Amino acid sequence: MLNEPIQVLALFRNNKIIPLKFVWNKRPFLVDTINFVHEVQNGSVKTVNFAIATKTDAYQISFDTKSLTWRLCDVYTPTSGK
């Protein structure tokens, strides 16, 4: 698990969060599909977890609704075996 901070361009519409693009290690990644969304409530903090994919790889990212921060949790590439 990476748990690295990232910058995300997201659309907030109709009580939904839609990540469109993120920047990790100064490299931009365009979100091609959102495969899964899961919310976790831990006390007063809600974290929204996303399984997303670009044209080549898949990622797990999360949004902390209290601190309004994004994190890259994991990367799945064809060569990573994940």
Side-chain angles (χ1 to χ4, degrees):
M1 182 172 244
L2 294 174
N3 197 30
E4 294 185 15
I6 56 173
Q7 295 176 320
V8 177
L9 175 64
L11 180 63
F12 292 76
R13 183 189 315 167
N14 300 327
N15 293 322
K16 291 185 179 182
I17 306 169
I18 304 166
L20 305 172
K21 180 181 179 179
F22 68 96
V23 177
W24 175 43
N25 290 334
K26 299 181 182 179
R27 288 187 50 213
F29 297 87
L30 186 61
V31 176
D32 192 46
T33 58
I34 300 171
N35 299 314
F36 185 75
V37 179
H38 176 69
E39 296 181 3
V40 176
Q41 189 76 39
N42 188 5
S44 65
V45 179
K46 180 169 66 171
T47 303
V48 185
N49 300 295
F50 299 86
I52 60 173
T54 63
K55 295 225 181 275
T56 57
D57 302 312
Y59 302 86
Q60 181 183 348
I61 63 174
S62 66
F63 178 66
D64 182 315
T65 62
K66 186 171 184 177
S67 65
L68 304 179
T69 57
W70 290 88
R71 313 269 312 157
L72 175 64
C73 303
D74 218 337
V75 179
Y76 306 92
T77 64
T79 58
S80 73
K82 291 186 180 182

